[in-house]
Amino acid sequence: MLFLFSITWGSVSGWWVPGCLVLGGLYAWLLYRQPTSLTKNWRYILGAIRTVVVALIAFLLLSPLIKSVTTHPQKPLILVTQDNSASIRLFKPAGFEPGQFVDQLGNLKKVLGDGYDVREFNFSDRLRDSLSTKFDGKQTDISGVFKSLNDRFSNQNIGAVVLATDGLYNKGSSPQYNAGNLKASVYTIALGDTVPKRDLLIANVNYNKTAFLGNDFEVEILTEAYQSKGENMRLSIAEDGGPVFSQNVQVTDNAFRKTITAKLHADKKGIHKFTFSIQPVANEISTANNTETIYIEVLDAKQKILLVYNGPHPDVTAIKQSLEDNRNYEVRTTLLSKLNEAELGTYSVAILYQLPTNSTSVIPSTLLSKLKQQKIPVWYMVGAQSDIFQVNAAQKIVRINAGRQDVQETFAMPDANFSLFTLTDSTRRELASLPPLSAPFGNYSVASAQSVLLKQKIGTIETSYPLLAFGEEDGRREAVLTGEGLWKWRLAEFQSQGNYRAFDELLGQSVQYLTAKNNKTRFRVYPAKNVFDDGEDVLFNAELYNDALELVNTPDVNIELKSKTGKTYNFVFTRNGQSYTLNAHALPTDEYTYSAKARLGDKTLTATGQFIIKPLNAETRQSAADHHLLYTLAHQNGGVMLRPNQIDKLAELIRKNENIKTLVYDDKTYKDLIDEKWLFVVILALLSAEWFLRKREGEA
């Protein structure tokens, strides 16, 4: 770091400096031109002191500035990332030792020396600090690596990213887009083996997570076989341990793929375990991918959701597609003009999209009155076409004071104090990063701050305005969304994450909360979902109602989780607003039952249920590495793809890359010279010295 300073000027010309010296000299001449008791030498000395003092005071009156320049050299960042997923260990080529390779990769920092700032990471489902030799990751998200690095080191001097992986990813989107956002050279180290080995596997199973009692349902099984031409592949399916389907398939090629459709029957309510197995053949590289397990919930009946709108809008399609992904819901969309009000009683919840609307005279009064009379929960979704006056009159959760029909862009800001139900932390983070919605321009107020799940963030200003809020009136639950543009959320999440998980969780949890009051059970305990992935936090919600069916949370709620293998876990729920929440964190993969208890007055209420934590075996589904992706990433971003045995060349390639260099940043600051107190000390010292010398020489 280098520090320099100089004198500069504001609006006054620097040519006034000689004038300050002339002024000081003139003042000194007038004072000492006719001394009575001073010798000629003392007149010159004292005159010089007075000249300096007057010139310095006049100089300060010109308001000069001190410009200081601090130079900060910033070494180029070399970000070393290493794939720690299980596929690196399971499908390593002959002669490759993963642990030894990690040691070689860690030596890069020493070889490059002090001229580079080397940071080390490992990744599987997410990015973690330091290198690792565990190779136990159950998912791989390469796109997330570049996104995390960009978020963490944006506006810094990123010279290069070193990516050591086999190119196989099973989470997130294609990494090519996020890699380009870093604006840095990408050097890839191609791990794994691209040569297909003898292997039979279940590549994927397509299925609906729910089925309905008494119905048939289909599952699609994608089977693959490599270097196994002429073999007989035997596929079998077991439901809860009992065989329900089998089929033999003749392998006709060394790169064989076939999709098999199996029709199954839902004959018993509850969560059912289906195990898909391919009988192993001799000399397979891995049999871990010969088995796949899924869980399907068999329900008595669907909950029907009514989505009413006044005109076409992409939000309608986005909402419908998201809710229908949950097979527990049956969504019917209809124009307001074609609505049959006589069927309202068959629906569990009504979503009024931009209704009441300002493009028609008024929403039929019978619709709102019938929804209220039949205590059907309503979700009001407000947009540019909404009649704000009628929206305010229809519900008491949110009041919007808008003088005109203008809209403004507003981002979602999850409220940590929301207490009605729980969203996962990852969903909250994802919602905060989504594009803005269009909300009516105006002032907002809300009946209860704890009922606000999402607040509005306008530009960089965090407001208290509600974007999504919930409430209850006369025993009927309601919700208000004050913005339109949900379709952009769905597309943006798929672009960044390759799925709609956060968007679907937001809509699903919201509808689940709205419909929960229709269940007259006094004590309700339910997990956020019935099937969790291995490593995922297990979330529970609980609701307790008194005799008047009012929500209370005075008593403690205890829950016992029991795994099929006999392990028991006990927890106490946390009070959250008027209800309860519990985060049991990650639990071992198994099938669980739960039993919760709460004592209200002289009654002990219980709630039971079950859920599953399923293992992830995505890393076993593909054994052949994808080095073409790694070559493309390196080629498109100014780098080179290397083999593990070429890792010694990496340091030299980085040194020769002219785009990887130390950058020097100048930090300029300006300060008024008159603020420097030492100058006044100098002036006072000079004046004191002049006065003392004058007196000593007998001058008055």
Side-chain angles (χ1 to χ4, degrees):
M1 183 175 68
L2 182 64
F3 178 78
L4 301 171
F5 72 93
S6 61
I7 303 295
T8 186
W9 307 92
S11 58
V12 179
S13 171
W15 288 105
W16 282 94
V17 174
C20 294
L21 293 173
V22 171
L23 179 64
L26 179 62
Y27 188 95
W29 179 77
L30 290 173
L31 184 63
Y32 291 107
R33 72 182 189 276
Q34 293 180 341
T36 57
S37 57
L38 291 175
T39 64
K40 183 177 182 181
N41 289 337
W42 278 113
R43 288 206 311 271
Y44 288 150
I45 293 172
L46 294 175
I49 293 175
R50 182 55 63 101
T51 298
V52 171
V53 169
V54 173
L56 187 57
I57 293 173
F59 178 67
L60 290 177
L61 293 176
L62 296 177
S63 299
L65 301 173
I66 301 176
K67 181 178 75 171
S68 58
V69 180
T70 306
T71 301
H72 300 276
Q74 192 175 94
K75 300 176 185 178
L77 281 167
I78 308 299
L79 307 177
V80 181
T81 63
Q82 164 242 326
D83 192 340
N84 191 44
S85 62
S87 63
I88 304 299
R89 170 176 48 82
L90 292 173
F91 306 116
K92 61 182 181 180
F96 176 74
E97 291 298 332
Q100 183 179 350
F101 168 77
V102 172
D103 291 339
Q104 291 177 309
L105 191 61
N107 197 43
L108 180 64
K109 180 186 292 189
K110 180 180 179 181
V111 175
L112 285 174
D114 294 335
Y116 300 86
D117 186 1
V118 181
R119 310 284 182 89
E120 297 172 335
F121 306 90
N122 74 86
F123 67 91
S124 52
D125 59 330
R126 61 184 176 88
L127 191 69
R128 298 173 177 85
D129 290 338
S130 76
L131 304 179
S132 175
T133 57
K134 293 182 178 179
F135 299 102
D136 56 356
K138 297 173 181 177
Q139 285 183 299
T140 306
D141 183 3
I142 299 177
S143 176
V145 172
F146 292 108
K147 186 175 185 299
S148 296
L149 293 177
N150 192 36
D151 292 342
R152 188 165 175 176
F153 299 102
S154 61
N155 301 321
Q156 296 190 41
N157 182 21
I158 304 177
V161 175
V162 179
L163 180 71
T165 180
D166 53 11
L168 302 177
Y169 63 92
N170 40 56
K171 182 182 179 183
S173 56
S174 173
Q176 292 176 248
Y177 173 77
N178 283 332
N181 290 339
L182 275 175
K183 303 294 188 295
S185 300
V186 176
Y187 293 88
T188 57
I189 303 176
L191 306 181
D193 195 347
T194 58
V195 178
K197 302 295 192 301
R198 182 176 174 85
D199 196 16
L200 275 61
L201 66 139
I202 297 174
N204 194 27
V205 178
N206 292 319
Y207 66 101
N208 292 320
K209 295 180 180 179
T210 56
F212 296 94
L213 191 63
N215 291 350
D216 291 333
F217 60 95
E218 291 184 345
V219 293
E220 290 183 346
I221 309 100
L222 175 59
T223 61
E224 296 181 0
Y226 297 96
Q227 308 303 313
S228 304
K229 184 177 180 180
E231 291 286 353
N232 182 45
M233 182 164 56
R234 180 173 177 79
L235 172 69
S236 60
I237 304 175
E239 179 182 0
D240 297 327
V244 292
F245 177 89
S246 65
Q247 183 173 328
N248 291 326
V249 178
Q250 190 68 27
V251 178
T252 58
D253 196 353
N254 279 328
F256 178 80
R257 303 183 72 188
K258 183 177 178 63
T259 299
I260 300 171
T261 301
K263 181 178 287 188
L264 306 175
H265 184 70
D267 57 2
K268 187 178 179 181
K269 183 181 175 181
I271 301 176
H272 296 266
K273 176 182 178 181
F274 292 86
T275 304
F276 301 78
S277 302
I278 294 177
Q279 185 174 334
V281 296
N283 301 320
E284 273 196 75
I285 185 175
S286 172
T287 58
N289 52 19
N290 290 38
T291 304
E292 178 70 25
T293 301
I294 66 171
Y295 295 87
I296 296 178
E297 184 177 11
V298 178
L299 305 170
D300 270 340
K302 294 183 179 181
Q303 291 200 39
K304 297 178 68 175
I305 299 173
L306 176 65
L307 176 53
V308 189
Y309 57 97
N310 189 59
H313 196 285
D315 278 359
V316 174
T317 301
I319 296 166
K320 185 175 188 293
Q321 289 176 342
S322 175
L323 292 176
E324 284 186 336
D325 281 346
N326 185 334
R327 298 293 293 180
N328 190 25
Y329 299 142
E330 179 183 333
V331 184
R332 186 197 168 195
T333 59
T334 178
L335 285 166
L336 176 62
S337 58
K338 296 182 180 180
L339 175 64
N340 183 359
E341 294 185 10
E343 299 178 351
L344 287 178
T346 63
Y347 294 99
S348 302
V349 64
I351 300 175
L352 304 184
Y353 186 79
Q354 299 203 42
L355 295 175
T357 179
N358 58 28
S359 61
T360 60
S361 57
V362 61
I363 185 171
S365 59
T366 54
L367 174 57
L368 290 179
S369 63
K370 285 186 177 180
L371 290 172
K372 187 173 183 179
Q373 180 182 357
Q374 299 180 39
K375 294 189 180 300
I376 298 174
V378 178
W379 190 349
Y380 299 93
M381 294 191 173
V382 181
Q385 302 303 316
S386 297
D387 186 318
I388 303 302
F389 177 79
Q390 292 192 61
V391 170
N392 287 337
Q395 49 79 37
K396 297 180 180 179
I397 304 171
V398 174
R399 179 159 296 276
I400 307 172
N401 296 315
R404 54 185 189 271
Q405 289 296 322
D406 293 343
V407 296
Q408 61 186 357
E409 290 191 335
T410 175
F411 295 90
M413 184 176 64
D415 190 340
N417 296 320
F418 181 74
S419 59
L420 300 181
F421 58 85
T422 305
L423 295 178
T424 60
D425 291 341
S426 60
T427 292
R428 287 175 171 269
R429 289 192 297 269
E430 185 64 26
L431 290 174
S433 68
L434 294 175
L437 301 183
S438 298
F441 181 86
N443 294 317
Y444 293 73
S445 59
V446 64
S448 172
Q450 286 189 331
S451 69
V452 179
L453 173 58
L454 302 177
K455 291 182 178 179
Q456 296 185 24
K457 181 180 178 183
I458 303 172
T460 58
I461 306 300
E462 297 182 357
T463 74
S464 60
Y465 294 169
L467 181 61
L468 177 57
F470 297 82
E472 189 171 331
E473 183 182 359
D474 298 329
R476 181 183 69 153
R477 290 181 171 177
E478 296 177 322
V480 179
L481 176 71
T482 61
E484 63 174 290
L486 293 174
W487 64 273
K488 293 186 290 186
W489 280 11
R490 202 164 192 263
L491 288 181
E493 185 181 10
F494 186 80
Q495 183 181 36
S496 64
Q497 303 296 327
N499 56 53
Y500 311 106
R501 189 193 56 76
F503 184 81
D504 290 350
E505 182 178 337
L506 174 66
L507 266 64
Q509 287 282 74
S510 299
V511 169
Q512 185 180 37
Y513 169 78
L514 290 172
T515 58
K517 191 64 180 291
N518 289 339
N519 187 330
K520 303 302 182 182
T521 304
R522 297 266 305 279
F523 182 44
R524 299 187 66 245
V525 177
Y526 51 93
K529 50 188 175 182
N530 290 322
V531 180
F532 296 90
D533 290 330
D534 185 13
E536 188 176 4
D537 285 349
V538 177
L539 303 176
F540 278 88
N541 296 298
E543 297 172 356
L544 182 62
Y545 297 89
N546 60 19
D547 292 337
L549 291 182
E550 296 171 329
L551 203 60
V552 295
N553 69 349
T554 305
D556 288 337
V557 172
N558 299 279
I559 189 170
E560 181 182 82
L561 310 181
K562 185 174 291 186
S563 68
K564 193 174 182 179
T565 56
K567 291 185 179 180
T568 301
Y569 305 87
N570 292 285
F571 300 94
V572 178
F573 276 79
T574 301
R575 292 174 178 82
N576 195 3
Q578 291 180 303
S579 55
Y580 302 85
T581 60
L582 170 66
N583 185 350
H585 299 290
L587 297 172
T589 57
D590 208 336
E591 301 174 26
Y592 291 81
T593 58
Y594 64 85
S595 176
K597 293 181 180 180
R599 186 169 181 81
L600 188 61
D602 58 351
K603 297 180 180 178
T604 299
L605 305 177
T606 61
T608 59
Q610 59 181 335
F611 65 94
I612 307 292
I613 301 179
K614 67 175 184 178
L616 291 174
N617 64 346
E619 291 297 308
T620 67
R621 288 180 177 170
Q622 189 173 352
S623 59
D626 186 0
H627 289 178
H628 176 72
L629 172 65
L630 302 182
Y631 174 82
T632 303
L633 284 173
H635 180 73
Q636 291 181 348
N637 294 280
V640 177
M641 185 183 84
L642 302 173
R643 303 285 180 178
N645 58 5
Q646 298 175 306
I647 194 171
D648 292 341
K649 299 180 180 179
L650 183 56
E652 189 62 28
L653 288 171
I654 291 174
R655 291 194 188 100
K656 290 182 178 179
N657 191 330
E658 296 181 356
N659 295 321
I660 304 174
K661 55 188 176 183
T662 298
L663 299 181
V664 178
Y665 297 93
D666 291 340
D667 184 15
K668 298 180 181 179
T669 58
Y670 294 87
K671 183 180 180 181
D672 288 326
L673 184 60
I674 201 170
D675 292 336
E676 297 295 327
K677 293 181 175 57
W678 62 269
L679 284 173
F680 295 96
V681 174
V682 171
I683 293 172
L684 182 61
L686 290 173
L687 289 173
S688 299
E690 182 190 5
W691 176 84
F692 173 78
L693 293 173
R694 280 166 57 91
K695 292 298 182 180
R696 195 187 70 172
E697 297 299 320
E699 183 71 10

